[in-house]
Amino acid sequence: MRRPDSPERTLPTRPAGACQRPRGGGLFRTAALGIAAALALLGCGSSPPSADLVILNGAEPESLDPAIMTAQADLRIGGSLFEGLTRFDPVDGNPVPGLAERWEISEDGRVYLFHLRPQAVWSTGGSITADDFVYSWRRVLDPATGSEYAGILFYLEHAEAYHLGQIADPGQIGVRTAATHRLEVRLRDPTPFFLDLCALPTLAVVPRDAIERHGDRWLLKPPVPVSGAYELVTWRINDRIRLSRNPRYWEAARTRNQVVDLLPCISASTALNLYETKAVDIVWDKNLVPVDLLDLLLARPDFHAYPVLGTYFLRFNVTRPPFNDARVRRAFAMAIDKQRIVTRITRGGEQVAHSYTPPGIGGYRNPEGLSRQPEVARQLLAEAGFPGGTGFPRFEYLFDTSSRLQEQIAVELQVMWQRELGVRSELRKMEWKTYLVAQGELDYDVCRSSWMGDYNDPNTFLDMFMSHNGNNRTGWQEPRYDQLMRQANAQVDPLRREQLLQQAETILIREAVPIVPLYFYTGLEYYDPDRIEGIYPNIRAEHPLRVIARKPALP
Amino acid sequence: MHPVIKRLAMTIPLLLVISSCAFVLIRLAPGGPFDRERAPASPEIERALRARYHLDEPLWSQYLRYVGLLWERDAEGRWRWAAGGLLKGDFGPSLKYRNHTVNDLIAQALPVSLTLGGIAFGLAMGLGIPWGVWTATRRHRWSGFWGGFVALGLICVPALVLGPLLILVFALKLRWLPVALWESPGHAVLPTVALGLFFAGRVARLMHEGMRETLQAEFMVTARAKGLSEARILIRHALPLAIRPVLSYGGPLLADLLTGSFVVENLFQIPGIGVFMVNSTLSRDYPMVLGLVLLYAVILIVLNLLVDLLYRWLDPRLRHG
């Protein structure tokens, strides 16, 4: 035979018996050798040196640029690389001094003077100055940057006008250098949650030189100058992000680990497998908990569920009959058995939502919304002209395909409304982007929705239903609501402000009801508390990497 | 003109047609790359983003820019050739991963998929071809029957089912191999088997059919009459003809395998290109979708050409005809 290596050699050419097996083994051996050779050839032969901490972080970050990132998976890494004036406390998630060591606030709550730490430097050297902050914040506000979170800087004087191109001079924006290490910030309104905003990666300080030199790809050009506790070592999409301790961080001595790997993963069963075989230490994305095993897993000591700032709710399109009638919307809200949804479907320890704002947000006392009262609901529907559901037009319930949960909740609601009110609905399922377009264009009757708070204040939930907010998406416009929200945010007195916000929220969830809150989200993470320390449950779901570590092994 | 050159020349208009179809089709899908649950702070941002990535231009101009055949006026009003474009080997920026270009993403993910797909292909062929020959030569015996039966069984178990089973047995119960990730040769074993075994079954069936037909051909009787050994008859005379169904299946199969598998990459958390194939469409990452469509098209065209050449080489009738 001229081709001695070809697999044909293993062909049994005679009617044979005993010699077959070893020949088959030879084939497998050749195949195995081939696999190993190909891998070595393509450079996959060496595994990277192991990290001090391996974390499954959820979906692959879309960006690590603080001005651009919006997803939690991105923000968690971004916050480790870049720090702002304040940072989140690892235990309760409240803002504590970051690159600013202290600050003074004016009587009217509108002027902040931040004193930066003089010893704070970039990882590549060079002092972090007030000018760096001014640059970073103007960059967020510049529409050309395409920062989707630019809105959180609109609390600054003239910031919105600059963003919209109504003023051209960025010098007019309410942020300026008072001295090399002193930053003066002037706000439009007294904004009690402003220090909270300062801890968001969006407002972190970023390196001007690197950005101006490399453009969009600045994070791929090592060394990336960082201001946070970690440096970026590798970023391979869908593979791994490796961070290492920034020795020049102002508090580097207290960073508890040297190298941290953050792996992306979107399959819950793969995540559980990796965790069970100890390939990863921590899984901290709720979507990485296999839903079918929830009951079993939640009973284990290494599964941790805790409330976070997020609400699952329904939107009504109030521009379409019959949902333009508040009585109909209230009837629909009161016919829903929310308890059943959290105990039968979501099963992750979620709390039923009686208000839209999650409990405990910024110390706010949430008003009570509509409770389940099928009798009253039927009566309201009759008053609206549909006794027993007669004559009620067929309507559509819109949901998306992001998780199986959406469909299960849709079916449950469909049954509840039919049973309690006698109305019939059709389920309309849409792929994510298509769903977002339908919602934005008010091309729906009722649709599922969710919202995660950006900061620890009820405003992050309530301002979106002001008449012209881009996130309203219900067609609901209520001047009274707008007025109350504006008054609340102009208030310096926290008690008075709370009352105004409560009044506004009451309109939203008891009277006009363009939305129905169903339940509050929980954060869900798994790690072995005997092996890992430094993760604390808090409503911000903030777990700074710098304090997390493997426990030293017992001798 | 040499037929190979003719075929290669044909690929350029073909690629143009494919890219323009893909270009239009992906834009017909509702929603865009910048639609999110959370509306941006102002419509200004989306407008700026669209302008930045030239999505605000008319479609024909976007297409010319994409191909790299656009001339535009710069700030001073002078005409200049627009930067980037396919002709310069630039697939453009990714609209989802905004710190990366499409070239960055493909450069990272393609070698992984090439490795995974290449080994799986080797496994499918290396196992399937001898298997099919073996079952065909003992068609009337129990061993041939069972051999064929097992091959048929593999076809019924796609990677979606086989993968989790392999993980359960070899990674979770026996702990011989890692459950997922892509770090060492050990990490490659389960995904390549999960991906390749199904196709090994198909190849075995095709090889079996091809061989069975060939063995009945008249020239086989001639060969036997000349007193050639059975091995020589099978390998020198029967195999080159019998393998043709496998070949025509193998070209597109290799193209499929080399450009990644969504199921296997997801299951084993492998940073290949298959995940992008699906997700870039869902996130409306236009340049990424186009880049992948073109990549796939090129690989497919090249492999089909190779298959045709192999055909000519293997079949004396085509070679001399």
Side-chain angles (χ1 to χ4, degrees):
Chain A
M1 262 177 278
R2 259 174 286 167
R3 285 170 292 168
D5 286 335
S6 62
E8 286 88 295
R9 198 164 65 136
T10 55
L11 260 181
T13 50
R14 302 246 181 279
C19 61
Q20 267 175 35
R21 202 163 282 167
R23 280 181 174 185
L27 176 67
F28 281 114
R29 205 162 46 233
T30 319
L33 279 176
I35 289 175
L39 279 169
L41 210 69
L42 279 146
C44 286
S46 62
S47 48
S50 61
D52 300 328
L53 204 58
V54 185
I55 300 172
L56 278 192
N57 189 50
E60 171 66 37
E62 292 182 19
S63 176
L64 292 182
D65 183 334
I68 290 173
M69 53 178 67
T70 55
Q72 187 173 42
D74 308 26
L75 291 163
R76 275 182 167 155
I77 302 177
S80 306
L81 295 171
F82 301 97
E83 192 162 293
L85 297 167
T86 58
R87 56 180 192 173
F88 293 113
D89 183 273
V91 179
D92 57 19
N94 286 329
V96 292
L99 289 177
E101 57 185 354
R102 62 198 165 83
W103 48 83
E104 288 126 33
I105 309 174
S106 68
E107 286 273 305
D108 63 358
R110 290 180 54 236
V111 185
Y112 285 65
L113 186 64
F114 290 96
H115 299 267
L116 304 186
R117 291 179 196 276
Q119 77 275 26
V121 289
W122 294 100
S123 61
T124 48
S127 187
I128 297 176
T129 62
D131 282 340
D132 289 327
F133 272 96
V134 173
Y135 163 75
S136 304
W137 289 15
R138 284 182 185 170
R139 176 170 178 260
V140 171
L141 283 169
D142 184 351
T145 309
S147 171
E148 292 170 63
Y149 265 12
I152 63 170
L153 270 176
F154 288 180
Y155 299 102
L156 265 58
E157 243 176 32
H158 304 304
E160 190 167 6
Y162 172 75
H163 173 80
L164 295 174
Q166 292 158 356
I167 57 171
D169 175 18
Q172 285 183 269
I173 303 171
V175 55
R176 64 175 197 94
T177 303
T180 314
H181 288 105
R182 245 182 296 160
L183 185 74
E184 189 194 86
V185 178
R186 308 184 76 87
L187 303 178
R188 201 165 52 181
D189 294 310
T191 309
F193 46 88
F194 185 67
L195 291 172
D196 213 277
L197 297 182
C198 288
L200 291 174
T202 320
L203 298 201
V205 64
V206 292
R208 177 175 198 160
D209 287 347
I211 294 170
E212 288 182 348
R213 195 169 334 132
H214 303 299
D216 282 346
R217 295 175 79 239
W218 65 278
L219 283 148
L220 305 178
K221 300 284 187 187
V224 178
V226 296
S227 51
Y230 290 87
E231 293 184 275
L232 181 63
V233 182
T234 37
W235 179 12
R236 290 182 50 84
I237 289 262
N238 281 338
D239 189 359
R240 120 185 11 242
I241 288 176
R242 171 160 288 195
L243 306 180
S244 77
R245 178 175 160 273
N246 171 8
R248 285 178 155 157
Y249 180 55
W250 63 271
E251 211 191 21
R254 296 181 66 182
T255 304
R256 296 192 58 201
N257 43 56
Q258 199 68 38
V259 177
V260 181
D261 275 354
L262 294 123
L263 311 185
C265 186
I266 44 172
S267 155
S269 50
T270 306
L272 184 63
N273 289 344
L274 284 167
Y275 175 77
E276 292 290 336
T277 53
K278 299 206 165 30
V280 300
D281 300 303
I282 302 165
V283 181
W284 67 17
D285 183 316
K286 193 185 175 186
N287 298 320
L288 294 181
V289 183
V291 180
D292 299 324
L293 302 174
L294 256 181
D295 302 321
L296 218 64
L297 295 175
L298 273 179
R300 284 171 40 167
D302 49 348
F303 277 69
H304 314 272
Y306 57 91
V308 293
L309 295 182
T311 310
Y312 191 103
F313 66 101
L314 308 181
R315 278 184 168 96
F316 291 110
N317 178 358
V318 306
T319 63
R320 275 190 196 173
F323 294 105
N324 55 353
D325 186 335
R327 289 171 300 189
V328 172
R329 301 196 295 266
R330 285 208 293 276
F332 270 62
M334 292 164 99
I336 299 172
D337 184 354
K338 300 174 187 174
Q339 191 60 46
R340 186 178 161 87
I341 289 171
V342 296
T343 48
R344 294 284 301 270
I345 302 176
T346 62
R347 306 190 330 262
E350 287 83 358
Q351 273 186 56
V352 160
H354 297 297
S355 56
Y356 178 50
T357 50
I361 184 166
Y364 169 76
R365 283 163 295 177
N366 322 80
E368 189 70 15
L370 298 171
S371 57
R372 179 167 183 265
Q373 288 167 289
E375 275 305 318
V376 184
R378 279 189 282 273
Q379 201 182 322
L380 277 168
L381 199 66
E383 284 171 23
F386 309 102
T390 41
F392 199 88
R394 262 181 184 257
F395 66 98
E396 281 180 337
Y397 178 86
L398 173 69
F399 63 99
D400 62 275
T401 52
S402 61
S403 111
R404 239 172 46 205
L405 216 62
Q406 318 305 359
E407 181 150 23
Q408 290 167 347
I409 291 175
V411 171
E412 199 69 44
L413 289 172
Q414 188 182 35
V415 173
M416 285 175 190
W417 286 328
Q418 161 123 44
R419 195 179 48 219
E420 304 294 357
L421 304 176
V423 298
R424 303 183 63 126
S425 56
E426 271 160 35
L427 301 185
R428 185 167 166 223
K429 179 170 164 177
M430 277 189 178
E431 176 262 350
W432 179 244
K433 293 267 181 181
T434 320
Y435 152 86
L436 289 180
V437 171
Q439 196 186 68
E441 291 176 351
L442 296 185
D443 174 21
Y444 70 92
D445 297 317
V446 187
C447 84
R448 72 103 344 201
S449 304
S450 52
W451 190 254
M452 301 299 292
D454 292 323
Y455 44 87
N456 194 8
D457 186 274
N459 190 62
T460 186
F461 282 88
L462 297 177
D463 75 344
M464 62 192 272
F465 289 105
M466 291 172 74
S467 297
H468 299 291
N469 192 296
N471 287 311
N472 182 314
R473 302 181 191 178
T474 56
W476 181 65
Q477 301 194 346
E478 174 57 65
R480 249 186 336 135
Y481 185 86
D482 297 353
Q483 179 66 20
L484 282 166
M485 288 302 296
R486 273 196 292 269
Q487 280 176 352
N489 284 329
Q491 271 296 330
V492 189
D493 176 18
L495 264 176
R496 179 77 191 115
R497 179 170 183 267
E498 184 187 30
Q499 285 170 358
L500 290 163
L501 290 173
Q502 285 167 339
Q503 286 174 31
E505 186 171 359
T506 305
I507 297 177
L508 188 70
I509 57 174
R510 275 197 89 88
E511 295 171 22
V513 197
I515 60 162
V516 187
L518 290 188
Y519 63 83
F520 299 117
Y521 280 102
T522 47
L524 208 48
E525 283 144 14
Y526 43 117
Y527 56 88
D528 184 350
D530 292 335
R531 289 182 61 235
I532 299 293
E533 57 187 7
I535 302 185
Y536 307 91
N538 56 61
I539 50 171
R540 305 297 315 263
E542 284 294 342
H543 310 306
L545 285 175
R546 59 178 194 277
V547 300
I548 304 172
R550 286 187 191 146
K551 283 185 181 174
L554 295 171
Chain B
M1 215 191 324
H2 194 277
V4 174
I5 298 172
K6 215 156 107 190
R7 279 281 293 274
L8 280 176
M10 276 297 292
T11 53
I12 291 161
L14 188 59
L15 285 176
L16 276 177
V17 171
I18 292 171
S19 66
S20 49
C21 285
F23 193 87
V24 173
L25 280 175
I26 180 66
R27 273 149 219 268
L28 289 181
F34 308 117
D35 286 319
R36 290 178 189 274
E37 182 168 31
R38 183 184 303 272
S42 72
E44 200 63 19
I45 292 172
E46 193 175 341
R47 204 196 51 74
L49 277 173
R50 296 181 66 84
R52 178 179 201 180
Y53 294 109
H54 307 290
L55 298 178
D56 54 347
E57 295 174 1
L59 213 53
W60 59 265
S61 141
Q62 288 185 47
Y63 181 69
L64 287 182
R65 182 184 296 280
Y66 182 74
V67 179
L69 289 175
L70 186 74
W71 275 262
E72 59 184 356
R73 280 181 196 272
D74 62 11
E76 281 111 55
R78 281 185 305 247
W79 285 99
R80 65 180 176 91
W81 195 8
L86 275 185
L87 292 178
K88 291 172 217 155
D90 184 355
F91 285 108
S94 165
L95 305 185
K96 180 174 170 73
Y97 301 105
R98 282 166 55 190
N99 296 126
H100 292 77
T101 61
V102 174
N103 292 44
D104 287 333
L105 297 177
I106 291 180
Q108 275 185 23
L110 188 62
V112 175
S113 285
L114 288 181
T115 313
L116 175 65
I119 304 171
F121 182 76
L123 183 74
M125 289 295 166
L127 204 62
I129 292 173
W131 193 340
V133 172
W134 186 70
T135 52
T137 53
R138 46 193 58 220
R139 202 150 57 86
H140 301 296
R141 300 178 207 201
W142 277 109
S143 53
F145 170 78
W146 284 114
F149 187 78
V150 171
L152 203 62
L154 287 182
I155 300 175
C156 305
V157 188
L160 192 65
V161 179
L162 185 62
L165 281 177
L166 290 173
I167 292 174
L168 185 66
V169 176
F170 295 101
L172 292 175
K173 292 277 182 230
L174 299 171
R175 305 255 165 158
W176 288 354
L177 293 161
V179 286
L181 303 183
W182 189 252
E183 289 172 357
S184 69
H187 285 86
V189 176
L190 290 185
T192 44
V193 171
L195 187 58
L197 222 47
F198 169 80
F199 298 107
R202 296 212 58 166
V203 169
R205 293 299 303 167
L206 287 170
M207 192 64 227
H208 174 96
E209 289 305 314
M211 189 52 98
R212 201 181 48 120
E213 244 169 66
T214 313
L215 286 178
Q216 289 163 351
E218 281 174 13
F219 73 91
M220 293 304 292
V221 182
T222 319
R224 285 208 178 85
K226 285 202 277 185
L228 297 175
S229 76
E230 196 67 18
R232 199 175 160 75
I233 291 174
L234 271 179
I235 291 167
R236 290 281 306 183
H237 294 268
L239 198 62
L241 279 180
I243 205 167
R244 286 179 309 166
V246 174
L247 274 187
S248 44
Y249 174 65
L253 171 64
L254 185 57
D256 267 1
L257 289 177
L258 292 183
T259 47
S261 153
F262 179 73
V263 170
V264 170
E265 285 177 14
N266 237 333
L267 195 59
F268 292 94
Q269 189 51 46
I270 294 171
I273 216 150
V275 175
F276 286 121
M277 287 266 179
V278 176
N279 290 347
S280 59
T281 317
L282 294 180
S283 54
R284 311 286 194 271
D285 191 345
Y286 303 141
M288 188 70 190
V289 173
L290 280 175
L292 293 175
V293 165
L294 283 173
L295 181 76
Y296 182 74
V298 167
I299 293 181
L300 191 65
I301 289 171
V302 168
L303 287 173
N304 271 332
L305 185 65
L306 277 180
V307 167
D308 283 2
L309 290 176
L310 269 174
Y311 250 80
R312 294 168 65 86
W313 180 67
L314 283 173
D315 191 335
R317 286 169 299 190
L318 284 173
R319 202 169 10 180
H320 303 298

